[in-house]
Amino acid sequence: MSVAVLFTSFFLLLLLRVPIAMALGLSGFLVVFIEGLNPIVAISRLYEGLNSFPLLAVPFFLLAGQLMNAGEVTDRIMNFAMALVGHIKGGLAHVNVVVSMLFAGMSGSAVADTAGVGAILIPSMKSRGYSETFVVALTAASSTMGAIIPPSILMVIYGAAGNVSIGALFLAGAIPGLLVGLVQMAYSFVHAIYNGSPSEPWKGASEIARTGRAAIGPLIVPAIILGGVLSGQFTATEAGMVATVYTAFLIFIVYRSFPIRSIPRLLSETVVNYSLPLLAVAAASFFGWLLAFLEVPDMAVRFAEPALGSPETTLIAIMALFLVLGTFLDAVPAIIIFMPIVSRLVEASGAHPVQTGIVVIMTLALGLVTPPYGLCLLVASMISKISVVKVMPQMLIFLALMILVILAVIFFPALSLWLPKLLMPRLI
C-alpha cells in the first residue's frame, strides 16, 4: 500500500503542476507518516542527499562553462571547427556539431552548450538559407553531447549515486559521444544534398593550423580533466576546480577578453544555476531511500525476472524506462530516485554497471530535447523565436538516430567498455 501511495501521490502532484522537488518531498513525507517512521529520518535523508563530495564538482563545471561563454573561447572554437569541416556540404551544420563536441569536452553542461553555440550559429545558419526547423533541431540535438562526452555532470551524479567509478564513466562516454556526433553529421550531409545547403570556402591547412593555435588553450581543458582523473592526481571534484582556475586564467590573464569586475556576476549566476536543482537532489535522495526501505528494487527484480534473460534485454528495459521518465523528470532526480532499482536489475541480469551508466545517461540526454521538459529544445526554440511544435517533426529524426546509437552501445558493449578496460583495467 505504501508503494502505491508513494507513486500515486507523486504522479498526482506532478499532474497538478507541483514542482518536482515539492512533489517528491510531499509524497515521501506522506509515506513516512503512513509507515509510522520518525520524521527526523526524512530530514536526515534530505541532508544526506546533499552531503556528497562528488556533487561539489557540479558548480565548478558550471562556472567553467559560464567563463567560456562569457569570454572569447566559444568564438575561437567555432573558428577552428569552421576551418576543419566548414568546406563539407552543409558546412555550418557540421560546424554546429563539431563545436558541440569540443564544447562538451570542456563544460559538461548541455544547456550551456545550447545557449552559447545557439546564440551564434542559429542566426548564422538561418541567414545562409538553412531550414529554421532543421537549425533549431540540430542545435538542440548536438548539445546533448554535453551530457555524454566527458567530462559530464550527469556522469558525476551517476557515479556518486551508484558507487560507480566516475573516471571509468568519463572514458566510457567518449566513443558513444563521438558516434552521436558522427551520426548527426552524416544526416546533416544528406539533408544538405537534398536541400541544397551551402558549404563554406576551403581555406587550406594553414587556416586549420592558425585557428588551431588560437584554440589550443581551451582545448587543453579536457586533457587536464581526464589526465588528472585517470592518473589519480585528483578526483572529479578537484578536476572541476582545476578546470575552472585554468579557464579563468585564460579568460582574465591570457586573453583579457572579460573584465575582472564581472566575476561577482558570474559567480552569482553559477550559484543560482547550481542551487535551483539542489532541492530536487535532496528530495530525490529521500525518495530513493524510501524505495529501498519499501523493498521496491526487490519487487522490480521479481516482476522483471522472466524478462531478465540477458544483459541486452535488461538494458533495453532500462532504456525504455528512462526514455519515459526523461520527458517529464529532470535527469538528476531521475538518476538518484531510480538508482536502487537499476542497481538491482543490473546485479540480477549481469549487465556491466559502467555500460549501464552510459545507457542511462544517453537516454536521459534525450529528455533534454523532448517536450515538455526538454530544456535544450526550449532554449534553442527561444533563441530562434519558433514554436517547439513546429520543430518536433525534424527533432524526431534526430531522436531516432540517437536511439540507434544507444542500441548499438547496448548490443556492442566494447563501444563503451573498451577504453575503460584499456586505460583503467583495475576499475572494470
Side-chain angles (χ1 to χ4, degrees), residues 75-115:
D75 293 336
R76 289 170 179 263
I77 293 173
M78 204 163 292
N79 291 336
F80 180 53
M82 181 72 76
L84 279 177
V85 298
H87 61 283
I88 303 173
K89 186 68 174 176
L92 284 180
H94 302 302
V95 170
N96 194 321
V97 176
V98 171
V99 169
S100 292
M101 281 185 183
L102 298 175
F103 201 89
M106 293 181 287
S107 73
S109 172
V111 179
D113 183 359
T114 308

Side-chain angles (χ1 to χ4, degrees), residues 190-213:
V190 173
H191 183 275
I193 291 175
Y194 276 94
N195 292 275
S197 301
S199 58
E200 307 304 312
W202 165 248
K203 296 182 179 179
S206 60
E207 180 66 7
I208 295 177
R210 186 188 69 80
T211 55
R213 284 194 299 271

Side-chain angles (χ1 to χ4, degrees), residues 2-11 13 20-39 41-43 45-46 282-291 293-294 337:
S2 294
V3 174
V5 169
L6 183 65
F7 282 104
T8 302
S9 58
F10 172 61
F11 287 113
L13 289 169
I20 289 174
M22 298 302 295
L24 291 168
L26 290 172
S27 58
F29 271 103
L30 182 59
V31 170
V32 165
F33 289 118
I34 290 174
E35 290 288 321
L37 299 174
N38 190 331
V41 172
I43 304 299
R45 299 315 306 181
L46 289 169
S285 178
F286 168 45
F287 195 96
W289 177 83
L290 278 175
L291 292 182
F293 174 79
L294 296 172
I337 292 169

